[in-house]
Every structure is written in C-alpha cells, then in structure tokens.
Amino acid sequence: SDIDGGNVTEVFDGSGMNGIAVDIHLTDDHLYWTEHAGSSSQGGVWRADRDGSNAELFVENNGTFTAPHFLAVSETHNRIYFTCFSSGIIQADLDDGDNVSVLWNEFPATFTGITLRGDNELVWLTTAADAIYRTQLPSGDTPEEDVFINVPGAGETYGATYHAGEDALYFTNFGAGTLHRFDFAAGEATLLREGLVSPLGVKLSPSDTHLLIAERGRGVTAYQIDNYGYELLADASGAHFGVAVSADPEPLDDGTPPPPPPEEGDAVFFADFENDTVGDVPLDVSQGGVWTTVSEEPAEGSVMVMLDEDNVFGFGADNQFLRYESMRDYDLDATFEGLDVLTVNFDVITRFPEGDDGRWLNVRVRGGGTDAHILSLRNNSQRIRGDSDIGDPRYADPDVPVRLSLIVNNATDTITYDGPDGDSHELASTFAAVWVYEYLTREWIHIIPEYQRNSDAAAGTLMDLVRFQIDSDPPLRSFDFDNISVIKGAVIPEPAEFEFPHDLPDVRIHTAIEIEFDTVEGAYYQVESSEDLEEWTPVAPPVAGDGGIMSTLVSTREDSPQAFRVRTSEPD
C-alpha cells in the first residue's frame, strides 16, 4: 500500500504455497518472505520482484528446519537468515538460496524475532526466555555471557528491529500488546506503548523516524520515535505477521509518553470487576495488563460478573465480583511487565457441596513461557503444589470472604520483607509464601512461610503473567473472587474496607443446672421437672444406663422454682 495506507493492492496470491506468509523483507530488487507450513517438510523462504511477479520458493526445505518465522538479509555476508520456531536459526546463500544449514540451535527453543545489528551480529529473541541473544557472523558463535537476560517485555516477542543511530533494539510483545526499546549501552529496556492489538512484526522506516508495526487482526500502525505519536495507517483486519516499509510516514501528532516503571510496592495492575466487560469477563485491567481467557470446555459451566446485592463480600451491595459456576476447565490470565519478585493478592469466597473432592482453583505465575504453580485450593482445605509435607492448613471457611496474598521470589538471591504481622521475614530464591487475612477476625495468618513453587523457570527469569485456573472433575459448584492485584516486590497491601454483611446477634447469658446420677446397665432413666410436685414433665428423652455416671443440663430461665427427679425402670 501507499505509506498512508491507501491503494492496498495484492501483489501475490499465494499460488504454490502450502502454508502462510509470515515475515517480509524488502531489498532494492526483491521481496523475501517466509512460508510457515507447520511441522511439515514444506515451507521455506520465497522471493519475488518488488511488484510480486516472478514469485518462487527461493530457499527450499531440505529437511533441516520446520516452521520458518522471521528473517534478516545480510548483503555483507551474502546470506539470508531466518528463525524456525523449534529448529533454530537457519542460513542460506542470498544469490540462489542454496547451502541451507543451521547457524545456531543449541539454546533455547521457540526462536522468533531476528534482526541484524551492524554487519557482524544477529540479534534474536524467543518466547521461552526474558532474554536477548546475540550471534556472531559468520561463525554463528553465541556466547552465553553475551546474552542479555531479565529484559522486561521480552518473553513473548516476535517482531524486532535494530536502530543503528541509537544502538537500540525495538521489539514487540504479542501477549502483552506492548512495544519496547532496549538500549545496548545501558543494558536497560523501556516500555514505549501499551494497548497494541497482538503486535508481531516491526520495522524501521528508511530515515529511522517511525516504527511500522503489524498488529494481527487490525493492520499496520505507525509509531513516531521522537514524540510517541501513534496511528493506524493500513486498515487490514486480515493482516497477520510481517511488514516491510520503503518510505517515512507523515509526522504524527504528539502521543502519550510511556508510563514510568513501577516502583517497589506499586500495583502492576488491579482489577475490581467494576469496569466494562466483554463476553461476560473483564477485558481491560487498569494500570496495564489485559485479561485473556482460554477455555478447554466452554460449554461446561459459566463465568459471570455478579452484583453483590446481598453484600456477602462485605464491600457493599453495589460491589461487583467474578463468579465461576460449575466449571471443569477454565483459565483466566492477566499479563503485565516482567518482575522477579511479586505479590499476588485477591479476595475469595469458597462455595462447594459437601464431599466434593475436586481441585477447584489453581493460581499460577509465568516466567519465560513456563508456568509456576504456586497455590491449589481444594474445597475447605489448602494445598501447596510441590511440597507434600505442608499438609492442609486452613485458609477459609465456606461462604466467608478472606484475602490471600502470595509472595513469589524468582530473583537470584534470598529477599527480606516486612510482613503484615510487623516482623521481618526471609524468602529464598525460587520460593513462595502465603498469607491469609480473615476479614471477620481482622487477623493475618502466615499459612506457609516458605515452599518450593513448582516451575521450570530458572532463578532470575522475569514473571509476566498470573493465571486463575479451574481444573476439576467433577465440575466445581462455584467460587467468587474480587480485588485482584499484582504488586511489585514482596509488599502486602492493606485489605479492602470490609463490613460484616449481616447483623451481629445479641449475646445473652442464662443459668442452668446439671443433674447427675448413677446408672445400672440395662435400666432406663427419665429426668422430669415439676412446679407443684404433682404434675411432672420430661425435660430430656429417656436414656439407657451403662453402669456409669450420666448427667443432663436443664435451663433454669423459668421464673417459678422447679423440682427435679429421675425416674427409673428395672433392667430387662
């Protein structure tokens, strides 16, 4: 299309392709694009004239790779390089597409975004780690000491492009819908923009003034580097992965600068379910992050935003909360900027039929594409995944709201934090702790001081997702939860203001007497009372003697005096 998005024209209709086109690259003479053909032996790199004519499968699959993704072209080395999701980085001759070989595939996996940094370095990313990798050309050396790890925003990255004048890498995060900049000299990443629609490929305009971004299901957008300007250029709902650009867009109006990075104790996001909903589940999460849902059996049960008309949560009748009803398999995810230490907080009410032993709620965080299972709640017990010695300490009574706070430490060192009990606590690397606040008693309980959470995410890997997951057979009746937050660091916030939802009963104390008597085995005994010693009335059911001592408590709240006796029968 034109740089302003006009005159959209199809230049190649896909004839001869067995998969889908992913990344596209533009040179003086040609267009190159990768063909993703799944896990088959087909797919490769295509080449055509700039107008789409003379299209041909340029780099054919010789069995070396599967699932081509993004590509880079080096005229200095006369090579074309492309990532294959599970096969590594592949290279071929730029002249004729021959000499196909693996440049690098030793670590990690799920290879995605790739770009040239100068003449002799490939920079690439992966969905498997919060890292930026650098491979030297032409050798293919990728020293582990040259890898930048713990890069906020990396981890579900597909698009990447290098700005030589700034010595900076721009990249997108598909799951979080964000755009980031990494400064190689400082070794720091900056969040530039949130709210993108599944961003994938990204390229610099010729004068390095703009970034062009392929947003899946939306089209191609422009981001002006010097003033944060942003707008949709090409409206193309069918667009998916890649973009190439040969002109600078017109200057854009000033945009919104990126939010400052969170500080210790800041909420990365907070959700109270008072906002608008889409498909009966919250979509937007304040302070960053987006709820996304994955349901294995959507016909089983329902997810609803409910109005607390009976004030069972204790936050007022106008309070809204989320309810899962009769669910078997369901995930509710929220993404956020990557953190090495975080605290997940939420209010919850358990609801379950007696005898239901299904697992009803898991809480997970994700780091480097790997889930860390940090909490399992089973009915009226609580279990920590990965530590069988914990047992089942109490976390809540049915139908009574509590607040759960889960501290997760994925930093490389032990941390020290101030607990809500006023004491200092230590938490080792890759361990987690659980606190519960009982609203009725206004007390914090340190349920689990420290346990090894179940995860393959190595220490130092940034965590960027929290998941509330149903995994139960038979389906669970329901549970309600609200006021979900992720806090940077090991910081537990004050619980929400709570009022007991029902009137407290008046407590009164009255007198009683205890009548005690010896028994004979086989005989029956009946305690009776009388106000006139003539009319006698039973005050308790008859009981069979066992040869020991028995007793009966009788209220003395009556105004008039009473007499008591014990009648007995002979043994059979």
Side-chain angles (χ1 to χ4, degrees):
S1 74
D2 296 340
I3 193 62
D4 62 2
N7 297 318
V8 176
T9 304
E10 181 181 272
V11 296
F12 176 63
D13 62 5
S15 299
M17 290 176 60
N18 296 290
I20 56 175
V22 182
D23 194 23
I24 185 170
H25 185 86
L26 176 67
T27 64
D28 290 340
D29 300 320
H30 294 102
L31 295 174
Y32 296 87
W33 66 91
T34 54
E35 178 195 359
H36 183 298
S39 60
S40 72
S41 60
Q42 298 172 332
V45 180
W46 284 67
R47 183 174 70 177
D49 295 341
R50 288 171 64 101
D51 62 1
S53 61
N54 299 314
E56 61 175 342
L57 181 58
F58 179 62
V59 179
E60 296 190 33
N61 194 339
N62 60 359
T64 304
F65 57 84
T66 58
H69 270 59
F70 289 81
L71 59 85
V73 171
S74 171
E75 295 184 0
T76 299
H77 296 284
N78 196 34
R79 304 290 278 169
I80 186 168
Y81 306 95
F82 55 98
T83 58
C84 290
F85 197 67
S86 58
S87 307
I89 300 173
I90 312 300
Q91 62 178 342
D93 291 343
L94 184 59
D95 290 336
D96 51 19
D98 290 341
N99 295 317
V100 179
S101 63
V102 176
L103 180 70
W104 176 263
N105 68 351
E106 293 187 25
F107 65 85
T110 62
F111 299 80
T112 50
I114 188 171
T115 187
L116 281 167
R117 182 183 180 222
D119 291 334
N120 298 312
E121 188 172 87
L122 277 177
V123 176
W124 50 277
L125 301 102
T126 169
T127 63
D130 307 313
I132 295 175
Y133 298 83
R134 299 185 295 172
T135 295
Q136 302 306 308
L137 299 177
S139 66
D141 292 339
T142 307
E144 291 195 54
E145 60 269 19
D146 288 346
V147 175
F148 291 93
I149 60 172
N150 291 338
V151 178
E156 197 167 356
T157 298
Y158 290 83
T161 189
Y162 176 69
H163 191 303
E166 298 178 350
D167 192 21
L169 181 75
Y170 290 89
F171 62 92
T172 61
N173 186 299
F174 177 78
T178 50
L179 173 67
H180 303 261
R181 176 184 181 273
F182 181 82
D183 186 318
F184 280 95
E188 296 178 352
T190 303
L191 173 66
L192 298 180
R193 187 169 184 87
E194 300 175 307
L196 303 182
V197 181
S198 303
L200 289 160
V202 58
K203 297 285 175 61
L204 274 166
S205 65
S207 300
D208 296 340
T209 57
H210 294 74
L211 298 171
L212 280 296
I213 308 167
E215 298 189 38
R216 187 171 186 174
R218 185 183 183 201
V220 178
T221 55
Y223 176 88
Q224 188 164 321
I225 291 175
D226 63 358
N227 71 351
Y228 319 113
Y230 170 82
E231 72 174 29
L232 177 67
L233 293 184
D235 185 354
S237 60
H240 288 285
F241 291 96
V243 59
V245 57
S246 61
D248 296 317
E250 292 294 323
L252 304 176
D253 294 335
D254 288 354
T256 304
E263 296 181 357
E264 191 85 358
D266 285 350
V268 179
F269 74 80
F270 176 79
D272 61 3
F273 303 106
E274 303 295 327
N275 299 320
D276 293 338
T277 62
V278 176
D280 291 330
V281 296
L283 179 66
D284 294 326
V285 179
S286 62
Q287 301 183 42
V290 175
W291 286 114
T292 58
T293 59
V294 180
S295 178
E296 296 180 10
E297 297 186 39
E300 191 75 52
S302 58
V303 181
M304 302 160 287
V305 176
M306 306 288 290
L307 187 65
D308 194 4
E309 296 176 348
D310 297 327
N311 193 28
V312 295
F313 254 113
F315 305 132
D318 294 332
N319 173 65
Q320 291 184 183
F321 61 89
L322 194 70
R323 167 170 289 180
Y324 282 1
E325 187 75 37
S326 299
M327 295 303 297
R328 185 188 301 272
D329 294 289
Y330 199 86
D331 294 347
L332 181 65
D333 297 349
T335 58
F336 49 85
E337 191 80 1
L339 303 172
D340 56 1
V341 180
L342 60 82
T343 306
V344 180
N345 311 278
F346 60 100
D347 295 310
V348 64
I349 297 178
T350 66
R351 303 179 186 277
F352 49 84
E354 185 175 352
D356 181 4
D357 61 355
R359 183 190 309 161
W360 66 274
L361 174 63
N362 298 322
V363 184
R364 301 172 181 264
V365 293
R366 185 186 65 183
T370 302
D371 283 351
H373 193 161
I374 58 175
L375 183 69
S376 289
L377 303 182
R378 288 178 181 265
N379 298 340
N380 63 344
S381 65
Q382 181 269 354
R383 183 173 71 85
I384 299 299
R385 183 62 172 256
D387 196 335
S388 60
D389 296 331
I390 292 298
D392 290 322
R394 181 173 65 91
Y395 71 88
D397 291 325
D399 300 316
V400 175
V402 297
R403 161 150 286 239
L404 280 165
S405 293
L406 317 174
I407 299 175
V408 185
N409 177 22
N410 215 50
T412 55
D413 299 318
T414 296
I415 62 171
T416 301
Y417 69 95
D418 295 328
D421 57 358
D423 295 333
S424 179
H425 300 269
E426 287 190 348
L427 187 61
S429 173
T430 71
F431 278 70
V434 180
W435 292 79
V436 64
Y437 181 79
E438 295 187 336
Y439 278 105
L440 298 186
T441 62
R442 308 296 202 272
E443 292 180 335
W444 281 102
I445 302 173
H446 201 184
I447 285 184
I448 306 296
E450 192 173 77
Y451 71 94
Q452 182 86 48
R453 85 285 184 277
N454 183 23
S455 173
D456 294 327
T461 302
L462 298 178
M463 297 169 289
D464 58 7
L465 175 145
V466 63
R467 168 172 294 169
F468 293 86
Q469 178 187 56
I470 290 290
D471 178 13
S472 179
D473 189 9
L476 293 157
R477 191 178 105 195
S478 72
F479 72 89
D480 308 334
F481 65 108
D482 199 3
N483 295 319
I484 302 171
S485 65
V486 172
I487 305 293
K488 180 178 180 179
V491 180
I492 298 178
E494 289 293 323
E497 185 177 346
F498 174 88
E499 295 181 1
F500 193 79
H502 309 292
D503 293 334
L504 294 174
D506 294 331
V507 178
R508 291 171 290 276
I509 300 175
H510 297 286
T511 59
I513 63 170
E514 182 178 12
I515 300 170
E516 185 180 86
F517 49 93
D518 298 324
T519 66
V520 175
E521 187 173 0
Y524 283 85
Y525 299 86
Q526 174 79 66
V527 180
E528 298 177 332
S529 68
S530 175
E531 294 181 2
D532 56 9
L533 299 180
E534 294 182 0
E535 298 272 339
W536 293 88
T537 303
V539 297
V543 293
D546 59 4
I549 298 173
M550 290 187 172
S551 64
T552 300
L553 282 174
V554 181
S555 172
T556 56
R557 291 173 56 186
E558 298 293 335
D559 292 336
S560 57
Q562 298 182 71
F564 297 90
R565 72 181 185 186
V566 179
R567 296 182 62 190
T568 181
S569 68
E570 293 296 330
D572 292 337

